[in-house]
Amino acid sequence: MRSILSFRARRGPHPAVLALLLLSAAPAAAQGRVDYEIRFPNRAHHEAEVTATFRGVPAGQPLQVRMSRSSPGRYALHEFAKNVYNVRATDGAGRPLSFTRPDPHEWDFAAHDGTVTVQYTLFGDRVDGTYAGIDETHAHLNIPATFMFARGMENAPVRVRFERPDGWRVATQLVPTADSAVFTAPHLQYFMDSPTEVGPWDVREWTVEGPGGRPSTFRLVMHHRGTAQELDRFAEKARAVVAEEIALFGEPAGYDFGTYTFLADYLPWANGDGMEHRNSTVLTSSGSLAQAEMGLLGTVSHEFFHSWNVERIRPDALEPFNFEEANMSGELWFAEGFTNYYDDLFIRRAGLYTDEEYAQITGGIAAAVTNAPGRRFFSAVEMSMQAPFVDAAASIDPQNRGNTFLSYYTWGSGIGLGLDLTLRSRFQGVTLDDYMRAVWREFGRAQTAEQAPARPYTVADLRRVLGEVTRDTAFANDFFRRYVEGREVVDFGALLANAGFLLRKSQAGRPVLAVQLEDAEGGVMVAGYPLVFSSFYAAGIDKGDLIVSMGGRPTPSTEALRAVISEHAAGDVVPVEFIGRGGRRTVQMTLTENPSMEAVTYESAGMQVTPRMRAFREAWLRSLAGR
């Protein structure tokens, strides 16, 4: 996911956006200040009471107060105004103010005395990286889902006070003050990018020295139901992964106030998510440390890598981030996908996966990309542009995503794996690590005083840097043409063989269903749209159809249907009787082969591992942090 906001003007903005940009370019001194207070008197029913005070509003200028429609790190619209009600307002003297509603997300104040105080009730009961979750145990706050903002006051300094019932504490990347309940932000961009946990959390902390002796402090803040020993163990593993990521770049990402905070809610009622921010990340899951430690660690690895890739190495298409519209980028295969490739690699380099476990991960990547039917329709760049439709987006109409979409996370991780192994095989001493460091030096290391990248990148920039790192522009152009802007897939089998990993079919000769089935009255219901390579798709059987017999035998249950399938091989033809929208009929269905693949080490496959393979694998998977 992505994060930090910037209202830096770029080519051709919409006139309304241009006006907003001009307003936000005014000196901070002319922007007044914004003060927030949030209380939780009805937290048992998931409500908070919020007060927002906008000071220094220019005389004669209407104030437009908004709830965000989008959130840092999300690409789709989420309509946060739907959870706001009981809105009322006063001026600086406490006199009631009236307002108009030009759209569902805005409250306009035409008359005021330079100060507008808005009070409202917020409902929030979803613990993840996008929304607010409030209950008797804590308040988990994504800022855009919680606080209104005012157009024209984007550069105003922000001050917020959090009520702390029952001894709760505040954890956030916001800037602390002498009052432990009060925090500040230099401007709206940073404030909106600062998720906050208010509650009875535990913490583990360590410090890493960066260039010039500048220390970076890392805080693992956790609200969970596990033991102190489980948290200690998890913190040590997280620390090892953090060390590997720092070792790749040779330095921490440069946290603006010296601290990076992991905000973890591992609770039975939480939703699985990870959301990166400039100096922090949100980690949520219903899994516990005792039951899901390695999966949770994978999210830690992924989100922390974003402190370089996305937060500071940032696509130009996401600058500026638009709070009021969906945000589209063609670079998510790199921003999210390469991060996805690296998250498990760092865990292996930290010694927390075996070679066999990591081989299985690479096989999963290769299989998912190779077998994805969605590659017929979009390139990795084009697939990235689908994010506003799929990034936690909601719709009620049926979709054919199973056949038309391949996640930019998955495809990007395949491109990352393929490029890394290609570089290591073809260019002496050149790896994907070298490429990432080069991208960091040119597009990430230099940041502005406003906590934004000095030079956001484009796909063309990424192609050029690859040519510079390899000293082979023709290779870079060809790789991007075929695998990034085209729809081809690298030869994963040949590339993995260099490391002594065998990519093979895992269900050779066996038929594949490739469709969701459910028991139903009178037969087996096709509960999902069949994938295009499935036997059902080729036979014209679709979602909603009821299969009553197969191979001449009744199919009263999915167990019975699978029993029939298990007696056949790929290529066999079986009669299938089903009831669909066109009535009852029988078709001859050819069973297609299961395309599933897996990767295993040569050792486990009983194959010889050559010294060259061992050296390749060691160079690829060894610790960079000296472990």
Side-chain angles (χ1 to χ4, degrees):
M1 311 316 301
R2 70 191 185 291
S3 187
I4 190 68
L5 319 173
S6 170
F7 286 87
R8 178 180 60 83
R10 63 181 177 92
R11 53 191 176 277
H14 186 278
V17 176
L18 178 60
L20 175 59
L21 296 173
L22 293 174
L23 285 171
S24 67
Q31 293 267 309
R33 84 174 202 210
V34 182
D35 293 288
Y36 296 100
E37 181 177 358
I38 184 167
R39 300 179 299 108
F40 310 101
N42 195 26
R43 56 191 179 276
H45 296 292
H46 318 295
E47 287 185 341
E49 297 299 324
V50 181
T51 301
T53 301
F54 305 95
R55 308 180 194 276
V57 183
Q61 179 176 302
L63 183 68
Q64 299 175 323
V65 176
R66 304 279 293 178
M67 280 299 290
S68 297
R69 303 184 67 201
S70 56
S71 177
R74 288 293 184 205
Y75 309 103
L77 295 178
H78 295 281
E79 311 295 10
F80 298 121
K82 65 184 179 294
N83 283 328
V84 169
Y85 44 92
N86 194 26
V87 179
R88 62 267 189 211
T90 58
D91 65 11
R95 294 182 292 261
L97 290 176
S98 61
F99 51 82
T100 57
R101 299 290 304 279
D103 59 51
H105 324 285
E106 184 170 329
W107 295 257
D108 284 0
F109 299 87
H112 54 78
D113 62 359
T115 297
V116 176
T117 296
V118 183
Q119 295 175 292
Y120 56 93
T121 302
L122 173 78
F123 180 86
D125 189 26
R126 184 175 174 88
V127 177
D128 68 0
T130 307
Y131 297 98
I134 302 160
D135 57 40
E136 291 181 294
T137 70
H138 73 148
H140 172 87
L141 306 174
N142 183 39
I143 300 300
T146 305
F147 295 103
M148 293 181 174
F149 70 94
R151 285 174 169 171
M153 299 191 73
E154 289 79 12
N155 288 337
V158 175
R159 180 179 180 273
V160 57
R161 174 181 289 276
F162 299 93
E163 181 196 42
R164 298 168 300 163
D166 301 330
W168 290 3
R169 295 183 290 166
V170 181
T172 180
Q173 71 174 30
L174 292 167
V175 185
T177 68
D179 185 339
S180 59
V182 176
F183 294 79
T184 67
H187 42 61
L188 178 72
Q189 296 96 320
Y190 193 85
F191 180 61
M192 286 292 198
D193 194 51
S194 302
T196 300
E197 176 75 15
V198 188
W201 39 263
D202 295 320
V203 64
R204 299 294 184 269
E205 207 171 277
W206 67 95
T207 300
V208 174
E209 187 174 299
R214 180 186 177 190
S216 293
T217 298
F218 297 92
R219 297 192 306 161
L220 176 59
V221 170
M222 189 171 295
H223 184 198
H224 70 133
R225 292 185 167 184
T227 67
Q229 293 74 22
E230 289 168 351
L231 177 53
D232 288 339
R233 184 177 65 246
F234 188 75
E236 281 304 307
K237 293 182 178 181
R239 184 172 181 173
V241 170
V242 165
E244 291 298 334
E245 300 196 18
I246 292 173
L248 185 150
F249 289 103
E251 59 186 349
Y255 312 109
D256 299 295
F257 303 101
T259 299
Y260 186 92
T261 304
F262 297 93
L263 297 168
D265 276 297
Y266 299 149
L267 301 165
W269 58 90
N271 297 273
D273 203 0
M275 185 62 66
E276 77 283 354
H277 297 272
R278 187 171 172 89
N279 300 308
S280 64
T281 188
V282 168
L283 309 164
T284 62
S285 177
S286 59
S288 68
L289 293 178
Q291 297 173 336
E293 182 184 59
M294 292 308 294
L296 299 176
L297 188 65
T299 308
V300 168
S301 180
H302 182 100
E303 302 305 331
F304 182 60
F305 193 66
H306 274 318
S307 66
W308 290 274
N309 191 24
V310 170
E311 290 302 326
R312 290 163 177 82
I313 304 171
R314 190 156 174 81
D316 182 70
L318 298 180
E319 289 291 313
F321 184 87
N322 191 337
F323 283 127
E324 302 181 28
E325 297 294 342
N327 289 262
M328 185 178 76
S329 165
E331 292 82 13
L332 297 185
W333 59 271
F334 179 81
E336 291 291 355
F338 274 38
T339 301
N340 215 47
Y341 164 63
Y342 267 109
D343 56 28
D344 283 320
L345 179 57
F346 287 126
I347 294 175
R348 171 62 193 91
R349 287 178 175 176
L352 302 174
Y353 282 143
T354 65
D355 285 356
E356 193 64 47
E357 288 170 328
Y358 190 67
Q360 293 172 8
I361 290 169
T362 62
I365 294 171
V369 175
T370 302
N371 295 331
R375 286 194 298 105
R376 299 173 301 153
F377 301 105
F378 301 105
S379 68
V381 171
E382 293 166 329
M383 207 68 81
S384 298
M385 295 177 179
Q386 296 288 306
F389 301 132
V390 298
D391 179 35
S395 61
I396 62 172
D397 59 319
Q399 301 172 26
N400 196 25
R401 293 279 173 200
N403 285 315
T404 63
F405 181 71
L406 169 59
S407 170
Y408 39 86
Y409 286 83
T410 305
W411 200 340
S413 64
I415 294 171
L417 173 63
L419 180 56
D420 198 2
L421 296 178
T422 299
L423 293 176
R424 292 174 183 274
S425 305
R426 180 167 173 173
F427 299 94
Q428 182 66 34
V430 179
T431 72
L432 193 66
D433 296 348
D434 299 307
Y435 179 59
M436 294 303 300
R437 284 190 284 266
V439 173
W440 165 249
R441 287 191 298 269
E442 184 165 349
F443 298 104
R445 182 178 283 159
Q447 299 287 304
T448 70
E450 290 75 32
Q451 293 91 22
R455 285 191 64 196
Y457 68 86
T458 65
V459 171
D461 290 323
L462 296 178
R463 184 193 304 111
R464 172 182 55 78
V465 173
L466 181 60
E468 293 170 354
V469 169
T470 60
R471 299 182 180 180
D472 190 335
T473 300
F475 163 77
N477 289 340
D478 181 67
F479 189 91
F480 270 71
R481 178 185 60 80
R482 297 174 64 188
Y483 307 119
V484 176
E485 296 166 309
R487 303 174 189 175
E488 296 183 52
V489 175
V490 300
D491 186 345
F492 286 110
L495 291 171
L496 287 168
N498 290 314
F501 285 2
L502 173 65
L503 183 65
R504 64 190 182 188
K505 289 186 175 182
S506 59
Q507 300 290 326
R510 302 305 306 161
V512 64
L513 295 178
V515 69
Q516 182 182 351
L517 301 172
E518 291 181 358
D519 290 346
E521 184 177 354
V524 175
M525 180 71 69
V526 180
Y529 296 107
L531 295 182
V532 295
F533 57 75
S534 73
S535 308
F536 290 91
Y537 191 97
I541 300 173
D542 200 34
K543 179 181 178 180
D545 292 348
L546 183 71
I547 302 170
V548 295
S549 73
M550 178 178 287
R553 288 158 52 183
T555 53
S557 66
T558 55
E559 182 180 1
L561 186 149
R562 292 179 189 279
V564 175
I565 293 290
S566 68
E567 297 172 0
H568 290 273
D572 289 353
V573 178
V574 297
V576 179
E577 184 181 9
F578 70 99
I579 303 171
R581 295 182 185 183
R584 192 181 192 107
R585 61 194 180 104
T586 299
V587 296
Q588 299 299 312
M589 186 171 78
T590 301
L591 300 179
T592 56
E593 185 181 39
N594 193 322
S596 297
M597 296 187 291
E598 65 180 0
V600 297
T601 61
Y602 273 28
E603 295 94 321
S604 67
M607 299 172 64
Q608 181 181 2
V609 182
T610 67
R612 184 175 180 178
M613 289 176 182
R614 290 191 185 280
F616 187 102
R617 190 192 300 180
E618 170 66 16
W620 177 29
L621 305 182
R622 70 169 179 262
S623 170
L624 301 183
R627 294 178 180 275

